[in-house]
Amino acid sequence: MILGIETSCDETSVALLERDGNVRVNLIASQIERHQPFGGVVPEIASREHLQHLFPLVARALADAGAKWEDVESIAVTAGPGLIGALLVGVAGAQGLAYGLGIPIIAVNHLEGHIYSPYLLREGAAIPLPERFLSLVISGGHSSIYDVRGPDVRRINRTRDDAIGETFDKVAKFIGLPYPGGPEIEKHARAGKADPRRFPFPVPQFKDESLDFSYSGIKAGAIRLARQHDVRADGDPATLADFCATFQDALIAQLFDRLDSVWSDIDAPKPTDVAIAGGVAANGVLRDRMLAWGETRGLIVRLPEKRYCTDNAAMIAFAGLQKGSPSDPRRVVARSRIA
Ligand code: KG4
Ligand code: ZN
């Protein structure tokens, strides 16, 4: 089995996967409540929480899987990007374990973790990866489309300013909704007969026909609207619902606007699959639209299980598996063996 460790942000997570991607255990200790009073993640608190939870979680993962230390063949750990103190806890912990066990350690880019996550299943072996797929990584820190061929990942675009999840969170905070804002906005947008067309919201276009995202315009527009119509979490529920639906629609509209351009630009043989990943991929409206988008183009749409949308170690271990056999020296960043 491969042991996965993820500590890049505010979730301490440990997973054990079999070589075929079968997730035996995926444990997540969320710190959301610790950060909620501050309306965002406090890095120092995150590092200390990881320190407290990491090793007990590893012990529990082994116990839950009925596994022994000898069953662990390699360790995949998030090496970046993320909060530096938080990453250090995970990497140092993984190094200590790898040293003690005399097994290889595989450094995983957090984004690669998200990218392959839609191919993990709730039970059983993972779905075999297609030759080529498009991946939209949409989270609190990232909004990018990737062109993925096996272990080769090419970024096609990025956001010029805020990430889509960050925009959800900031606007939610402005109107007094708790952190994280994405699920809150979705919940209120679903309430009653929310009208997503009550407030007009243009999709920002770039003069240079860039494929990039830009969410700061939508953020500023949303804040202006909220002020104008006195939208508050504890205000008029119908106005709140209409506002949330309008704002959510604007964010999603831009995603598809750029995806359309990427799709028409991409060379043949075109990808057979389109996948979404990251915290925002849990959004129900977005998931439905993605299915429809793929269907009209004859594509397979891969939506990650909601448990694999937010940060988790199963996806890190799975990305570690894509990096080849643990015995392949090119893939291993550190190999320790007790003399
Ligand atoms: O991937 P993730 O757990 O952490 C990062 O690596 O950023 O993503 C967290 C982000 C937050 O911004 C949160 O508001 C957003 O994902 N999110 C959602 C939903 N669930 C989580 N955004 C929109 N709709 C949701 N249902
Ligand atoms: Zn993430």
Side-chain angles (χ1 to χ4, degrees):
M1 280 189 279
I2 182 167
L3 175 73
I5 294 179
E6 154 67 34
T7 65
S8 68
C9 191
D10 60 344
E11 258 113 20
T12 318
S13 182
V14 171
L16 278 167
L17 267 65
E18 283 166 10
R19 286 179 182 174
D20 61 5
N22 184 8
V23 182
R24 291 283 297 274
V25 199
N26 181 44
L27 302 175
I28 303 172
S30 172
Q31 309 172 1
I32 284 186
E33 280 175 19
R34 294 282 283 116
H35 300 285
Q36 227 151 23
F38 306 97
V41 179
V42 182
E44 183 61 20
I45 293 177
S47 310
R48 285 166 193 262
E49 289 281 311
H50 289 311
L51 202 53
Q52 213 175 332
H53 293 296
L54 181 59
F55 287 118
L57 270 189
V58 171
R60 225 184 85 199
L62 284 168
D64 287 2
K68 296 190 286 295
W69 284 114
E70 300 86 83
D71 299 325
V72 182
E73 298 173 299
S74 60
I75 301 176
V77 59
T78 307
L83 303 171
I84 190 67
L87 288 164
L88 273 169
V89 175
V91 171
Q95 283 173 331
L97 288 173
Y99 183 81
L101 296 166
I103 57 174
I105 172 169
I106 303 165
V108 171
N109 180 303
H110 182 79
L111 295 165
E112 287 179 4
H114 279 302
I115 286 169
Y116 299 110
S117 67
Y119 293 87
L120 280 174
L121 290 178
R122 181 184 286 256
E123 271 176 41
I127 300 165
L129 295 186
E131 293 266 313
R132 189 180 191 189
F133 68 99
L134 272 190
S135 164
L136 277 78
V137 178
I138 39 181
S139 69
H142 301 273
S143 316
S144 281
I145 303 178
Y146 295 87
D147 180 6
V148 191
R149 303 178 203 229
D152 298 320
V153 176
R154 186 178 71 85
R155 195 183 69 197
I156 297 175
N157 75 348
R158 65 187 169 91
T159 172
R160 291 195 170 182
D161 35 63
D162 294 328
I164 183 168
E166 184 183 5
T167 314
F168 268 114
D169 295 340
K170 284 180 175 166
V171 171
K173 185 176 177 183
F174 181 80
I175 59 175
L177 290 171
Y179 170 85
E184 291 289 323
I185 298 273
E186 179 177 12
K187 187 177 81 191
H188 288 286
R190 273 188 199 290
K193 292 197 196 72
D195 175 8
R197 272 166 291 278
R198 172 155 159 206
F199 308 109
F201 232 118
V203 176
Q205 302 285 349
F206 289 126
K207 290 199 183 74
D208 57 6
E209 293 186 15
S210 164
L211 296 174
D212 286 345
F213 297 114
S214 168
Y215 285 110
S216 67
I218 296 181
K219 178 182 67 183
I223 290 176
R224 210 167 31 240
L225 255 187
R227 276 211 187 97
Q228 238 168 19
H229 298 273
D230 192 27
V231 181
R232 279 178 290 110
D234 56 359
D236 173 46
T239 305
L240 177 66
D242 291 347
F243 172 82
C244 289
T246 307
F247 168 57
Q248 175 176 265
D249 256 39
L251 292 176
I252 295 175
Q254 187 182 118
L255 215 57
F256 284 99
D257 179 78
R258 303 296 188 267
L259 184 59
D260 282 339
S261 309
V262 167
W263 185 252
S264 53
D265 265 24
I266 208 158
D267 57 339
K270 293 211 182 214
T272 53
D273 292 26
V274 60
I276 55 174
V280 181
N283 186 283
V285 176
L286 169 65
R287 289 169 84 93
D288 289 346
R289 288 202 199 154
M290 199 68 232
L291 283 172
W293 189 89
E295 197 174 319
T296 57
R297 288 159 187 82
L299 292 172
I300 297 171
V301 177
R302 296 286 178 204
L303 305 175
E305 296 253 352
K306 293 207 177 167
R307 67 180 73 196
Y308 301 133
C309 287
T310 43
D311 293 347
N312 66 87
M315 71 181 193
I316 300 303
F318 189 50
L321 288 171
Q322 307 312 318
K323 291 183 158 243
S325 130
S327 58
D328 178 349
R330 287 168 308 165
R331 300 292 187 196
V332 176
V333 291
R335 180 185 295 275
S336 335
R337 210 164 274 283
I338 296 173

